[in-house]
Amino acid sequence: WKLDRVAGWWPEKVRPVVAVVVEGLRDIPEISTCRAGLEHALDAELAGLGQAVIDLAREFVAQPVEVQRRIAEALSVHLVPLIDRLRGGRRVICDGCDERIWGGRMKCRE
């Protein structure tokens, strides 16, 4: 899997992301088997991470919309601060509405 290769090249960047995903999924019992697969990948020096992510994606789409929403909210709460740190803390603010935006745009889409 390509993800396994990337994890091998940059474990110091991949490991914190996987750890945050595991923590974000901790209170969602519907996805506990997939969380266990990610935990196993963390314990195994990221071996099998690609398959664990595929299993998580498959389980996510099989869940009802309400569960998908809970998963997305839990992960966003945990991942956004980590992504900010990995990007060097750089924040881009919209010139039009002064809200934070992602990417190289200087204005949001509104």
Side-chain angles (χ1 to χ4, degrees), residues 51-67:
Q51 187 60 53
V53 170
I54 289 170
D55 293 344
L56 175 62
R58 286 183 178 149
E59 187 62 31
F60 176 82
V61 298
Q63 295 297 321
V65 172
E66 302 82 34
V67 176

Side-chain angles (χ1 to χ4, degrees), residues 43-94:
D43 293 341
E45 299 300 317
L46 301 175
L49 179 61
Q51 187 60 53
V53 170
I54 289 170
D55 293 344
L56 175 62
R58 286 183 178 149
E59 187 62 31
F60 176 82
V61 298
Q63 295 297 321
V65 172
E66 302 82 34
V67 176
Q68 289 179 358
R69 187 174 295 120
R70 283 191 5 246
I71 293 167
E73 288 172 354
L75 291 180
S76 68
V77 164
H78 288 83
L79 282 172
V80 168
L82 175 63
I83 291 168
D84 277 347
R85 274 199 321 272
L86 291 174
R87 293 178 69 220
R90 194 181 104 204
R91 300 185 191 277
V92 178
I93 305 297
C94 174

Side-chain angles (χ1 to χ4, degrees), residues 3-76:
L3 186 53
D4 290 327
R5 282 189 289 179
V6 170
W9 294 332
W10 294 294
E12 70 282 355
K13 294 200 185 276
V14 173
R15 181 174 289 285
V17 174
V18 176
V20 165
V21 169
V22 167
E23 182 59 32
L25 297 175
R26 192 159 309 282
D27 295 328
I28 302 175
E30 296 89 346
I31 209 100
S32 62
T33 302
C34 296
R35 188 186 74 243
L38 292 169
E39 288 174 334
H40 177 73
L42 277 173
D43 293 341
E45 299 300 317
L46 301 175
L49 179 61
Q51 187 60 53
V53 170
I54 289 170
D55 293 344
L56 175 62
R58 286 183 178 149
E59 187 62 31
F60 176 82
V61 298
Q63 295 297 321
V65 172
E66 302 82 34
V67 176
Q68 289 179 358
R69 187 174 295 120
R70 283 191 5 246
I71 293 167
E73 288 172 354
L75 291 180
S76 68

